[in-house]
Each structure stands twice: as C-alpha cells, then as structure tokens.
Amino acid sequence: MTIAAHTLGCKLNFAETSDIISRFINAGWQQVDFNDTADLYVINTCTVTAIAEKKCRNAIRQATSANPDAIVAVIGCFAQNAPTEIAGIQGVDIILGNGQKHHLLEYVERFIADRHNVSNSELPSTNPEFHLAFSHADRTRTFFKIQDGCDYFCTYCAIPFARGRSRSATIDETVAMARKIAASGAKEVVLTGVNTGTFGINNGETLLQLTQQLDKIEEIERYRISSIEPNLLTNDIVDFVASSRAFLPHFHIPLQAGSDKILSLMHRRYNTDFYHRLLEKIKHVMPDACIAADIMAGFNGETEDEFEKVKQFVESLPISYLHVFTFSERPNTAVLKLDGRIAVHQRREHSRQLQAISDLKKQQFYKSQQGRSRRVLWESTVKENMIYGFTDNYIRVRQPFTPQSKQLVNTTTEFLLNHFIASDEVFE
Ligand code: SF4
C-alpha cells in the first residue's frame, strides 16, 4: 500500500507529518510523492489565515481527484476547526483533528476493514497527549517538535482552539529523542513548538534548563530556537545562547504589532518598549545576530495615524527582516467582538508597506555582514551547479559545485561573505 502526504503551515506540522508517515512505513506502507497515484492521501492542514485554509481546500481537491479509489484523510488544525465543512467535500473519507491525528494508522486500518467514513475532532481539554516528533528538512537540518499547544488566547488566534493547552515531554524524554536525532546524522536541529517558551510548564521545568542539557549533545553541532514569545525570551536564555557551544545567534521573535494600543487589543503580553529593549539586549551580547519578527498588518485599530507610529517603531528596531501577514479574522476568535475594523484594501496596503521596510532591513543586515567570515553548514541541494548552505546567523550562501563539494555536504566550514546576489538573497 502507498501513502502520499501534503503538509501546510508551520514547521511543527511538518515534524508531525514525518512522525505519522514513519508509523505507516513501520507498518509496511511505502511513501510516494503527493503528485503520484497513491492508495492513501494525507493532508495535514493549517488554519492560521484564510489563505492557508484556501490552500488546504485546493490540496484536498487535488487528492480527491487524483485517484477515485484512494482513501483521503484530512488531519490537523483546519480539520480540527472546520470538520463539517471538510465533510462536505466529496471524496474525503477520514477527518481527524489534532487530538487524534497521531492515531491515523489505526483509523485507516479500520476504514479499510469497514469502509465507514470517520470524523473525530475531539480535543481533550485536560491531559491531551503530547507526541515528540521530528522531520528532516534535508540530510543536514531537522525540525524537532518539543512543545505543543498554547494557553495565551491572543484575540486574533485560533491556534489554542486547534491545538489545546501548552504541554511538552520532560527534559529527560526530550534529550533522549535529541540523541536519536543525533544518531541519524543531523548536524542542525531547530527547536519548534506553538509557544516554545512555555516548554516544561506541565512538568515544572523550563526551556532554559532544556537548552542547557541539549547543548551537551556533542554530535549536534548547531541548534536554532524557532519562534519564541518576547516575554518568554528571558535575559538568562539570551545570555546562555551567547555563551553556549551550539545555540546559534538567530532569533525569531513575534512582534505582531508596533503599537501599544494594538498590542493591548491583541492581548499580547509585552509592550513596544519591552520589545525594543529585548532586541537591544540581544544585539549587545550578539552584535551579528539575525533577528526575524512576525508582524500583522491591518489589525483592528490600525488607522492611518496609528500605522505611521507602527512604521516608525519597526524602522527603529535592529531587526534583520519581517514575516508580514495580512490580518484576517478567524472563526470563534475574540477579535470578532472588537471595534475598529480596518478595510481589507487598507490591510493590504499596510502589508505592502511593511514588506518594503522588511526588504530594506534585510539589505541593511546583509550589507553589515559583507566581508565577514561566518561558519556555514553545507546542504545537499545543488542548483545551477551551485552548492548551498546557511551561516550561523541565517544567511543563505552558495559556491560553485565541484567534484570535491560532495565531501562538504553536512559539514561546516568558515565562509567569506564577499558577493551579495540580491535577486536570490544569497551570498557568494
Ligand atoms: S501566543 Fe498567541 S499567537 Fe501564539 S499561538 Fe498562542 S494565542 Fe496564538
């Protein structure tokens, strides 16, 4: 039997898809490409924006029309929040929310036996399960899910409804899994979660304690902490990263709004002053650190006057680039009850302007690194006779592929950043 999977959304979803597929492979299934004919299509979905949901619908339609005899399973966040809508799509056989998706193999085996459609989007409110998982982006980099769920309930966010309360495994269990990742040969591990900074909240442990233990696994050369809430990125963690063996000077710190008024409407747990001071602290101890920030354009209250303040604030930050999202209301979120809605065309215009600021910031960051020598982990990707990699501070670089380059794959070398190729956002 063959299985084909398509994943939408975050790195967490990718790690979980890998984990689910490996269960099928252990049971004798064979994985094929999503564009090939398969006996089972799995779509691991995302609900973060209206666009993400549209992509899910398209992927589901692609699967249902690819092979009329195939089983189609829709799992994950969109399946959690919109099971009735998905059940209305012809050809979908199994719908599992986040509480059940790790049991997909059992659901599929039951479906093969009795051919009864299944929909289960129950998310236990107490003691939901936690599954450690990891995925290989390629031979060099691995996304490692160390945490799931969120207790914050920001007013725009549907994720706590889709993934439940914050939870994680113990440090001992997490370190044991990291040793398995190390044994697989991965040199770089990206720690991911929904609200990574709340790691250990259910066990009386902390993210700082985890990072200190992970740093001792010598076979893993590099760690990145993916996204972490500003109020949870403590001075202790920043200082530890600066002095650690393997944690890299690269941070992804959601800002979401550059205005105290809007941050408060969003129920975020920091203000602009706090955020600014945090970034200054990071740059003080790691001057070459890459800092990325998520920001939402067009949330309630972002009038033209307020947006001018947002732009000024973002321009003042020592960030390397932004991930800009255009705000769209998600079902059941608290924002639906708030005043101050912004017209959709204004949201898009704000988004465009923030993207322009981001492009400029990125150019400035790259320019600041020109002429520097940084350590690069080389990947197996070869495009147009070039081999690619990332510096410790997350700059994509390339050099000509030669017969000797094969030996570079999955190793780190010092690399001089001397020629910036703007269109590809890479250094040569
Ligand atoms: S911290 Fe806020 S934005 Fe992030 S997942 Fe939790 S509720 Fe959503």
Side-chain angles (χ1 to χ4, degrees):
M1 298 284 275
T2 52
I3 174 173
H6 185 71
T7 309
L8 296 117
C10 60
K11 292 164 188 152
L12 200 63
N13 251 17
F14 281 86
E16 290 173 336
T17 304
S18 280
D19 180 58
I20 291 164
I21 287 176
S22 66
R23 289 167 198 237
F24 279 84
I25 290 172
N26 289 340
W29 289 62
Q30 198 195 333
Q31 187 179 4
V32 296
D33 193 86
F34 195 70
N35 293 318
D36 292 342
T37 306
D39 297 308
L40 166 66
Y41 291 94
V42 181
I43 301 108
N44 195 3
T45 58
C46 172
T47 186
V48 75
T49 58
I51 290 176
E53 290 183 356
K54 196 174 163 194
K55 287 183 185 166
C56 295
R57 288 187 199 96
N58 290 343
I60 296 168
R61 286 204 189 90
Q62 183 186 333
T64 53
S65 55
N67 171 11
D69 297 328
I71 304 165
V72 175
V74 182
I75 62 174
C77 294
F78 185 41
Q80 181 72 47
N81 285 359
T84 316
E85 180 193 330
I86 296 166
I89 303 175
Q90 182 95 29
V92 174
D93 304 299
I94 298 172
I95 303 164
L96 297 179
N98 288 314
Q100 293 297 319
K101 71 181 182 187
H102 294 279
H103 302 293
L104 179 64
L105 176 61
E106 294 96 276
Y107 279 94
V108 168
E109 285 170 347
R110 228 174 298 150
F111 181 84
I112 290 169
D114 65 17
R115 290 275 149 185
H116 282 140
N117 284 17
V118 191
S119 178
N120 189 343
S121 295
E122 251 176 65
L123 196 63
S125 53
T126 52
N127 300 324
E129 291 177 16
F130 176 76
H131 296 266
L132 283 165
F134 63 90
S135 75
H136 294 294
D138 61 19
R139 261 181 59 203
T140 55
R141 191 157 12 141
T142 294
F143 296 114
F144 182 21
K145 172 189 167 189
I146 59 161
Q147 183 276 339
D148 200 351
C150 182
D151 302 331
Y152 275 21
F153 291 93
C154 300
T155 54
Y156 53 80
C157 185
I159 287 175
F161 307 107
R163 284 192 170 267
R165 312 306 295 245
S166 177
R167 59 206 184 271
S168 44
T170 63
I171 289 178
D172 285 351
E173 290 162 340
T174 310
V175 169
M177 182 65 101
R179 289 194 191 283
K180 279 193 195 165
I181 296 173
S184 76
K187 290 287 189 301
E188 182 173 306
V189 172
V190 185
L191 305 181
T192 68
V194 172
N195 192 338
T196 317
T198 58
F199 172 90
I201 200 165
N202 53 325
N203 294 314
E205 298 176 328
T206 66
L207 181 65
L208 175 64
Q209 292 165 340
L210 175 68
T211 53
Q212 288 164 338
Q213 294 308 313
L214 291 175
D215 202 45
K216 294 178 186 162
I217 305 175
E218 298 269 336
E219 297 83 352
I220 296 176
E221 269 187 46
R222 328 215 289 183
Y223 289 100
R224 299 180 194 273
I225 302 173
S226 71
S227 173
I228 179 163
E229 289 293 293
N231 51 303
L232 297 170
L233 182 53
T234 60
N235 283 344
D236 286 348
I237 296 179
V238 173
D239 288 333
F240 174 72
V241 170
S243 63
S244 75
R245 177 190 63 84
F247 279 82
L248 300 183
H250 173 205
F251 296 88
H252 179 174
I253 312 167
L255 168 62
Q256 306 303 18
S259 137
D260 288 338
K261 192 179 115 194
I262 301 173
L263 285 173
S264 147
L265 280 177
M266 289 176 162
H267 285 184
R268 301 290 288 168
R269 300 186 179 198
Y270 52 89
N271 59 23
T272 50
D273 184 50
F274 179 92
Y275 192 91
H276 204 294
R277 279 187 285 116
L278 172 63
L279 266 52
E280 278 177 350
K281 157 86 188 171
I282 294 171
K283 282 294 194 181
H284 180 66
V285 290
M286 289 168 271
D288 293 322
C290 172
I291 305 177
D294 293 340
I295 189 160
M296 223 175 271
F299 190 76
N300 293 40
E302 198 174 84
T303 58
E304 294 312 297
D305 283 351
E306 205 59 33
F307 186 57
E308 282 309 308
K309 289 187 210 160
V310 169
K311 283 195 294 184
Q312 275 172 26
F313 177 70
V314 172
E315 277 161 357
S316 76
L317 290 172
I319 46 164
S320 313
Y321 63 93
L322 296 164
H323 291 282
V324 182
F325 299 88
T326 306
F327 171 62
S328 62
E329 289 85 354
R330 313 309 305 128
N332 304 320
T333 52
V335 69
L336 298 174
K337 297 195 185 106
L338 295 180
D339 296 333
R341 229 173 246 210
I342 302 299
V344 171
H345 72 272
Q346 270 173 302
R347 299 180 195 186
R348 293 204 182 114
E349 175 54 22
H350 292 184
S351 185
R352 194 192 61 72
Q353 292 186 36
L354 288 171
Q355 191 56 57
I357 295 174
S358 174
D359 293 345
L360 207 65
K361 288 280 184 189
K362 201 177 221 178
Q363 295 283 337
Q364 286 166 352
F365 176 60
Y366 276 33
K367 218 168 170 189
S368 77
Q369 296 301 299
Q370 217 150 9
R372 302 282 174 91
S373 177
R374 311 282 327 176
R375 205 141 187 95
V376 170
L377 176 61
W378 297 100
E379 298 167 0
S380 49
T381 325
V382 178
K383 264 195 288 177
E384 291 159 9
N385 243 3
M386 292 279 184
I387 179 167
Y388 288 77
F390 276 100
T391 62
D392 57 344
N393 59 350
Y394 208 58
I395 296 172
R396 195 149 173 74
V397 302
R398 68 181 190 180
Q399 61 173 321
F401 183 80
T402 63
Q404 290 75 38
S405 302
K406 273 192 186 142
Q407 285 152 20
L408 278 180
V409 173
N410 212 17
T411 65
T412 56
T413 63
E414 283 296 318
F415 184 81
L416 185 65
L417 306 169
N418 55 11
H419 184 202
F420 176 37
I421 317 283
S423 57
D424 286 334
E425 290 180 349
V426 289
F427 264 99
E428 280 188 346

